[in-house]
Amino acid sequence: MKSMIKELWHGNIIPQEDSRNNTKEMKELISYIARHDEDLDKLLTEEQKAQVTNYQTLVEARARLNELLKDKPKESTTIYEGSFGNVSGASSSYGSATLTLSGKTWEASKCYKQGTEFRLGHNKNATVDSKFLNAIGVSSLDGSSLEMKWDIKNSDTITFKTNGQYGTVNTLYILKSLDQGKTYTLCSELSYGSGTTYTFKGSVESSARYALVISGTKPRLILDTVEIKGFN
């Protein structure tokens, strides 16, 4: 065990060097070293610690281990989610609407809701706001938008789960604003039809708000849920 700890201390074993070392066995080794070091620290008196010839090595190894692990990437968790079946503010007539979803305000340029089915879009040709068109880099689109009217911090991903379409949905765009919705930039775009769940990369560096834009031919996208993951 002593030689293993020295290897760790001298940097010959680097748990975070690459993903190949992030194995079950490596995690067990790190846990074993840390656990026994902490147990030893609790059990021994100061006099007993002085008699352990390699106690300082253990202390240094623990410090080294803490240094290595502090840079371990955090896992994102859900920081906002909502079900469009429970959204309020939409009606059974196509039109613009200010929506409330899980206590937060969203603005839909065109939408429709009947029962628990929420559709983003219009059954007639509809145009997208110029601030979104500028971000996408086109002069016009037949489509609709769904815009957050609030900022969220440390967001990692934003995921929309869909449940079908009316008309023809071709593309989903996710746009990001760092100035409270005054201007937007394009984060990414995905072609519709590759699945029912569409995940876009968010903005971990600052507070941001997002807008979903759909395009196609009289596109109406049935939205099921939205989930934003991030770092608290």
Side-chain angles (χ1 to χ4, degrees), residues 52-232:
V52 178
T53 57
N54 69 335
Y55 181 75
Q56 186 58 33
T57 302
L58 286 169
V59 173
E60 292 172 351
R62 180 169 60 182
R64 174 67 170 168
L65 180 62
N66 290 338
E67 181 181 345
L68 291 170
L69 294 181
K70 72 179 181 180
D71 295 326
K72 181 180 179 181
K74 296 180 180 179
E75 291 186 3
S76 60
T77 59
T78 300
I79 55 179
Y80 174 82
E81 60 183 338
S83 170
F84 287 96
N86 298 324
V87 72
S88 61
S91 72
S92 56
S93 297
Y94 283 103
S96 60
T98 299
L99 310 172
T100 300
L101 180 63
S102 294
K104 297 293 185 179
T105 303
W106 297 71
E107 192 74 28
S109 62
K110 301 296 179 183
C111 67
Y112 170 98
K113 186 170 185 283
Q114 181 68 48
T116 58
E117 183 177 285
F118 175 85
R119 308 173 193 171
L120 176 63
H122 199 289
N123 60 356
K124 297 180 180 179
N125 292 331
T127 58
V128 176
D129 191 285
S130 60
K131 66 179 178 181
F132 302 135
L133 295 176
N134 292 336
I136 296 171
V138 295
S139 58
S140 65
L141 277 179
D142 182 4
S144 299
S145 61
L146 178 66
E147 181 185 11
M148 293 170 57
K149 304 303 287 183
W150 48 284
D151 292 342
I152 191 165
K153 293 182 178 180
N154 304 321
S155 51
D156 182 33
T157 59
I158 178 168
T159 299
F160 288 95
K161 184 177 180 182
T162 66
N163 195 30
Q165 65 171 322
Y166 294 90
T168 302
V169 179
N170 290 333
T171 309
L172 287 73
Y173 304 90
I174 195 73
L175 312 176
K176 174 179 68 177
S177 174
L178 302 180
D179 56 8
Q180 298 181 322
K182 295 182 179 66
T183 60
Y184 278 86
T185 58
L186 177 64
C187 290
S188 58
E189 60 183 272
L190 295 173
S191 296
Y192 179 76
S194 58
T196 59
T197 301
Y198 299 85
T199 298
F200 304 87
K201 192 65 178 175
S203 175
V204 297
E205 74 275 9
S206 58
S207 294
R209 65 180 58 182
Y210 300 96
L212 171 68
V213 174
I214 63 170
S215 68
T217 303
K218 298 180 182 178
R220 285 151 284 161
L221 182 63
I222 303 173
L223 290 175
D224 189 3
T225 61
V226 59
E227 179 185 27
I228 300 176
K229 286 189 174 184
F231 307 97
N232 293 318

